[in-house]
Amino acid sequence: MIQLYWKNATAAVVGARHGMSPGDMEKVDAQIRSAHQAVVEQVRAGKLGYAKLPVRDDYKQQVRALVDRYRKDATDLVVLGIGGSALGNLALQAALNPSNYNSLTDRVRKGPRLHVLDNVDPALVSETLKGLTRRLPTTVFNVISKSGETAETASQFMIVRELLRRKVPGNWAERIVATTDREKGTLHDIARADGYAMLPVPGDVGGRFSVLSPVGLFSAAMCGIDIDELLAGAAAMKEKVENAGDWRRNPACVLAAIKYVMFTAKKKPMHVMMPYSNRLYLLSDWYRQLWAESLGKAVDRKGNEIFTGPTPIKALGATDQHSQIQLYREGPNDKFTVFLEVETHPGETRVPDVFSDVPGLAYLRRKKLSKLLTAEKQATEYAMAHSKRPTATIRFPEIRPATVGQFLYLYEFTTSLMGELLDINPYDQPAVELGKQATFGLMKREGYEKIGRKIRRFSKVDEQFLA
Ligand code: PA5
């Protein structure tokens, strides 16, 4: 099981001004207990859709059926989606398949090459599609959109649909798998009319909480990731965080307590996630969305303006020791950093036995890179503590579907607890919706003329501010 280690976030290590003292733990005790009780009650009442995902068999079966149909012949899988409809897919693939997965030979690769188009960058889209020209008849396009109308995904879908109609006449519709609302929406209606294979986005699960639904499971299973083990890992964490008796032994409660106290009493609005593993780096992208969209809110649950939310930041160890740590140690003491540490990495490399006569390099001879990476992490942890900067670590015994599933569920549940502690709704995203409507207006979608006119006036370049 993954574990949270938080000694370096305590007052004993970084001082009472920046760290958790026994008194801080005592002060937050009642709030954590009631937050935990509230979230568990919501889970038991079936109100939190994401909490059902680790133990839902039906979605797994539906995904499995489509994977059986497509995987054996597919050379490429292209995911069209954005935000919660892409970040989980990217994180699973990066964590659980090798970094050179797409360039492995067909025989070695465990499934089709994976391309995730999570932006409408014209160069990215045209280059990806050009690269597929000869393989279009064996490419599967998984268009994922809960609303079925997000401009970025919709435009990509229109491009791909037309391309397939022209280049793969006859069975073009078979190349598309639509993951969207089960009953309604524009994408749903088109998928039905065109006859695509379909997977559901559960209505009660928001995009950023949907990685363990068909949204994330289909691409993962297509690329050979063991989704049974992934879900079992999430289910094991679910059991632990919902039922651990003493909250001080419950990783979600402890993490939420520390993050809450850091954010409020210790004046640390920046919450960094810094994996010491390239494989885990995109998990911190996924975390950034989960944390930012869930906790960045203007009003509390009574409607009072509070403008709250810690700012999630991602960094990579050891790389960012050479770009960020100067600031983290000597800049404003406004950050709480969570390291992700891996005990046994999926691959190993050893430094060769050379340069025994070069004093500056001899110590590296015969050393494993995993040992060096761990030393780098411990060194940073020590240096941060030395500057009174609080940190904690999530330890992965290894990177495998089970531990990644545990991590995802741990953070989802912790986000729910933080929602309770901050007294906000962590499941909506009104500010994202406004941006979507503004884009519709600018792109002249019918019904959005007013907002379109307003923004065009706003965006008009005023020459006197050009320098
Ligand atoms: O978390 C969210 O709700 C958002 O990031 C959405 O996932 C994103 O905006 C894409 O929306 P949709 O799946 O409706 O296309």
Side-chain angles (χ1 to χ4, degrees):
M1 232 16 206
I2 61 169
Q3 281 188 307
L4 172 71
Y5 179 68
W6 60 284
K7 183 177 177 189
N8 294 323
T10 62
V13 174
V14 294
R17 198 165 149 209
H18 301 292
M20 301 286 293
S21 66
D24 290 320
M25 291 294 274
E26 212 42 61
K27 261 190 233 157
V28 83
D29 178 86
Q31 279 167 287
I32 287 289
R33 283 170 192 274
S34 85
H36 184 258
Q37 192 185 343
V39 175
V40 169
E41 274 171 19
Q42 289 160 30
V43 171
R44 301 217 166 121
K47 289 183 186 157
L48 297 185
Y50 81 81
K52 301 176 205 160
L53 297 175
V55 289
R56 278 193 78 145
D57 233 37
D58 50 345
Y59 290 147
K60 215 163 60 178
Q61 302 314 333
Q62 290 170 47
V63 165
R64 183 89 54 228
L66 277 192
V67 170
D68 288 348
R69 173 170 156 195
Y70 281 107
R71 187 162 162 220
K72 53 184 181 311
D73 300 324
T75 55
D76 297 79
L77 169 64
V78 183
V79 169
L80 312 177
I82 197 162
S85 295
L87 288 168
N89 308 64
L90 284 161
L92 290 179
Q93 175 72 358
L96 297 169
N97 271 326
S99 56
N100 62 344
Y101 174 85
N102 274 4
S103 49
L104 295 172
T105 61
D106 290 349
R107 200 186 285 217
V108 179
R109 233 180 25 243
K110 291 184 286 174
R113 296 173 194 82
L114 180 67
H115 318 269
V116 180
L117 291 184
D118 67 340
N119 201 355
V120 280
D121 180 318
L124 170 78
V125 174
S126 70
E127 285 156 13
T128 306
L129 295 181
K130 258 187 215 141
L132 290 170
T133 310
R134 276 183 302 109
R135 302 197 301 269
L136 266 185
T138 51
T139 296
V140 177
F141 291 89
N142 180 204
V143 49
I144 308 176
S145 180
K146 182 175 178 183
S147 64
E149 294 202 339
T150 304
E152 294 88 342
T153 309
S155 56
Q156 290 174 348
F157 162 66
M158 289 158 80
I159 293 165
V160 161
R161 181 178 181 271
E162 218 30 46
L163 183 72
L164 287 171
R165 277 161 57 91
R166 278 192 290 110
K167 302 281 184 194
V168 195
N171 63 352
W172 64 272
E174 281 171 26
R175 306 320 305 161
I176 301 177
V177 174
T179 306
T180 190
D181 191 277
R182 191 192 290 275
E183 279 150 18
K184 58 179 187 327
T186 306
L187 178 59
H188 166 274
D189 297 346
I190 295 172
R192 275 277 145 81
D194 281 354
Y196 312 149
M198 289 177 79
L199 286 168
V201 182
D204 57 355
V205 178
R208 59 191 174 276
F209 288 89
S210 68
V211 55
L212 298 173
S213 80
V215 169
L217 296 180
F218 179 66
S219 64
M222 282 288 283
C223 296
I225 292 169
D226 184 342
I227 58 168
D228 291 323
E229 191 187 314
L230 178 79
L231 292 168
M237 184 55 77
K238 173 179 164 68
E239 167 65 26
K240 182 165 185 148
V241 298
E242 283 172 19
N243 299 317
D246 175 3
W247 76 260
R248 289 165 203 247
R249 293 276 151 207
N250 180 331
C253 287
V254 176
L255 191 56
I258 300 173
K259 284 189 170 248
Y260 178 66
V261 172
M262 288 294 161
F263 181 58
T264 53
K266 310 291 171 185
K267 308 271 177 277
K268 312 233 177 300
M270 311 284 169
H271 289 195
V272 181
M273 180 175 285
M274 187 166 181
Y276 273 74
S277 157
N278 282 55
R279 286 271 192 120
L280 300 184
Y281 191 33
L282 293 191
L283 281 179
S284 54
D285 248 352
W286 172 85
Y287 146 79
R288 262 188 343 148
Q289 186 204 13
L290 183 71
W291 212 245
E293 281 191 355
S294 302
L295 305 179
K297 297 290 151 75
V299 292
D300 67 15
R301 289 188 289 200
K302 286 176 220 77
N304 305 310
E305 282 193 344
I306 50 167
F307 301 107
T308 194
T311 300
I313 298 172
K314 61 172 186 168
L316 177 66
T319 310
D320 285 329
Q321 287 175 208
H322 304 270
S323 97
Q324 299 295 299
I325 292 298
Q326 171 64 34
L327 171 74
Y328 294 2
R329 285 194 59 208
E330 292 193 3
N333 196 340
D334 58 358
K335 295 172 196 61
F336 170 59
T337 301
V338 172
F339 300 116
L340 306 186
E341 182 178 48
V342 180
E343 233 163 79
T344 308
H345 289 264
E348 187 57 275
T349 311
R350 201 185 272 275
V351 179
D353 190 1
V354 294
F355 293 130
S356 58
D357 51 345
V358 180
L361 300 181
Y363 72 98
L364 291 171
R365 288 177 307 136
R366 299 195 306 268
K367 298 275 166 55
K368 290 178 178 171
L369 288 190
S370 60
K371 192 176 164 89
L372 176 58
L373 192 60
T374 302
E376 301 261 13
K377 186 257 171 182
Q378 287 169 353
T380 303
E381 201 170 28
Y382 168 79
M384 297 273 274
H386 192 71
S387 306
K388 302 198 180 316
R389 312 291 158 137
T391 66
T393 295
I394 294 179
R395 289 180 171 162
F396 285 66
E398 51 187 326
I399 302 175
R400 49 179 307 125
T403 53
V404 171
Q406 291 159 21
F407 174 88
L408 296 169
Y409 198 84
L410 171 66
Y411 262 83
E412 289 177 344
F413 195 85
T414 304
T415 305
S416 293
L417 293 174
M418 283 294 282
E420 291 295 323
L421 293 167
L422 295 171
D423 192 24
I424 46 113
N425 176 1
Y427 309 111
D428 65 359
Q429 57 284 326
V432 179
E433 299 310 326
L434 180 64
K436 285 188 180 184
Q437 287 168 22
T439 305
F440 292 153
L442 283 173
M443 297 300 283
K444 305 202 169 156
R445 177 174 168 175
E446 207 184 319
Y448 295 83
E449 294 80 2
K450 201 167 151 203
I451 189 165
R453 279 195 299 276
K454 221 167 163 179
I455 302 169
R456 263 186 289 280
R457 271 199 306 278
F458 171 81
S459 303
K460 199 160 177 288
V461 173
D462 186 340
E463 302 284 335
Q464 64 171 313
F465 294 99
L466 276 177

